[in-house]
Amino acid sequence: MAQTPVFPPSAGLLAGIDIGGTKVAVCLARPGGAGAAPQILTRVHQPTARTGSEDALARQALALLDEACARQQVARTQLAGVGVSSCGPFAKRSGQIEVANPNICGGLAGAADGRQDNDWVQVPLQAPLARALGGTPLHIANDAVAALEAERRWGALAGVDDCAYVTWSTGVGVGLCVDGRVLAGRNGNAGHAGHTFVGDVAGSAPLCGCGNRGDVESLVGGGSLAARLGMEAPPLLAAAQQGDAQALEQVRGLCVLMGRLLYNLVATLDLARISLGGAVFLHHQALLLPLLREQLQRYFPLLTRGAELVPAGLGAQVGDYAALALLQERAAGTP
């Protein structure tokens, strides 16, 4: 991962761009001092662009950035830096980051996946943003990795050297930290455990937007539930919380699969704590957290004993703080 830019509290405003499979959000914030979280001043958002030319996503992010700047009566050139927390995976073209996310790029799975309305395979992000921003510092990272950074500085993972952040939302993403080192990988894709397998991979298994069958995202991702179970995530989880027996059984099945992923992370990396976020989880954590803890405790106690599952300390704002964490001055002593 590139070295994190550092800005003193007296510098200009920071901009955070959070790109997800469902929405794009932009916030402006005043840098926090002495390790404090930034102060968010304004936030704008729209459903994620999925039509038009391949640069539609970058143009949308820039339009929202301009709207946020207008609200604070500042120009792009006055920003101290722009952090971009984006769903992945990432691909690189001429060294520049592009987004190849299955929930945005309909061309990844080909004609077999009828959920998407474009033929994009990967869309440019870094190059058009850098051109538009000129000399303003720009830092881009996978959204789960950026959320991990934010949770380690200001949230539920502070002071924990062996940890992960897991988002359960439209898709499933993971950020990883081992021995105090946040993992990035060759293309910034370390932690894409949402595309690992926890179920049947035969021809009858659900097709993920990435083209895989039987991976975590295709089985439990919020964007896959309508096709797989006949109900979107919010009404399904609401019905389960209200005691509907069939819905509760389906939700228990989802937690069995997500529990396998969580166990695999703990067993592979010897993690002490996992912070859980994302719209699917955070809106229904009272139901889901006990079920997930129960699943994690089912497996090989020698490896899982003492491993904690906790809600994201930054709650629903974790996406905003994730983008800002790529720019905010590191707290003293933070690796």
Side-chain angles (χ1 to χ4, degrees):
M1 182 181 295
Q3 185 177 2
T4 302
V6 174
F7 304 101
S10 59
L13 299 183
L14 306 177
I17 301 175
D18 178 29
I19 298 174
T22 299
K23 70 178 184 300
V24 177
V26 174
C27 67
L28 294 189
R30 184 173 293 116
Q39 177 190 2
I40 295 175
L41 303 174
T42 192
R43 184 179 188 270
V44 295
H45 63 89
Q46 289 179 351
T48 304
R50 290 191 178 87
T51 59
S53 60
E54 288 187 340
D55 66 348
L57 183 64
R59 288 190 289 105
Q60 178 184 37
L62 288 167
L64 287 169
L65 178 62
D66 286 342
E67 181 180 345
C69 286
R71 290 189 179 190
Q72 292 298 311
Q73 298 182 326
V74 297
R76 285 185 199 165
T77 54
Q78 294 175 280
L79 297 173
V82 178
V84 182
S85 162
S86 175
C87 57
F90 293 157
K92 289 185 178 178
R93 182 176 300 173
S94 301
Q96 303 290 293
I97 292 172
E98 301 195 343
V99 174
N101 178 267
N103 297 303
I104 295 175
C105 299
L108 283 167
D113 183 13
R115 295 176 297 171
Q116 304 291 353
D117 47 12
N118 62 59
D119 59 359
W120 304 341
V121 174
Q122 59 190 66
V123 296
L125 185 62
Q126 184 176 359
L129 292 183
R131 283 196 300 270
L133 293 172
T136 302
L138 171 68
H139 192 77
I140 302 173
N142 172 265
D143 55 357
V145 174
L148 171 75
E149 294 269 21
E151 282 285 281
R152 292 190 73 222
R153 290 181 202 165
W154 309 304
L157 300 176
V160 183
D161 283 344
D162 300 290
C163 58
Y165 172 81
V166 175
T167 179
W168 187 357
S169 191
T170 306
V172 176
V174 180
L176 302 169
C177 179
V178 179
D179 296 334
R181 296 176 62 87
V182 174
L183 306 185
R186 177 170 53 98
N187 289 309
N189 291 329
H192 268 285
H195 297 289
T196 58
F197 299 103
V198 295
D200 183 14
V201 297
S204 60
L207 178 70
C208 182
C210 71
N212 286 336
R213 290 189 182 274
D215 64 7
V216 182
E217 191 161 301
S218 69
L219 293 168
V220 307
S224 71
L225 297 187
R228 192 166 88 81
L229 299 179
M231 190 179 294
E232 299 280 355
L236 174 65
L237 288 158
Q241 283 184 308
Q242 292 164 9
D244 182 280
Q246 182 179 359
L248 183 57
E249 186 62 24
Q250 289 178 319
V251 170
R252 287 186 181 276
L254 297 178
C255 288
V256 168
L257 296 167
M258 180 62 86
R260 292 176 186 170
L261 169 63
L262 299 174
Y263 167 76
N264 290 339
L265 293 175
V266 171
T268 302
L269 300 172
D270 198 16
L271 301 179
R273 186 180 300 166
I274 295 176
S275 167
L276 297 162
V280 170
F281 174 78
L282 289 174
H283 292 162
H284 306 279
Q285 61 182 280
L287 170 66
L288 296 174
L289 186 58
L291 295 174
L292 292 173
R293 284 173 171 167
E294 176 185 332
Q295 288 303 314
L296 182 61
Q297 292 165 4
R298 288 180 56 192
Y299 306 107
F300 201 2
L302 181 68
L303 295 180
T304 59
R305 187 182 299 119
E308 299 177 291
L309 298 182
V310 299
L314 296 171
Q317 287 189 293
V318 67
D320 297 322
Y321 283 112
L324 296 170
L326 302 175
L327 299 167
Q328 177 70 25
E329 183 177 4
R330 292 183 182 272
T334 301

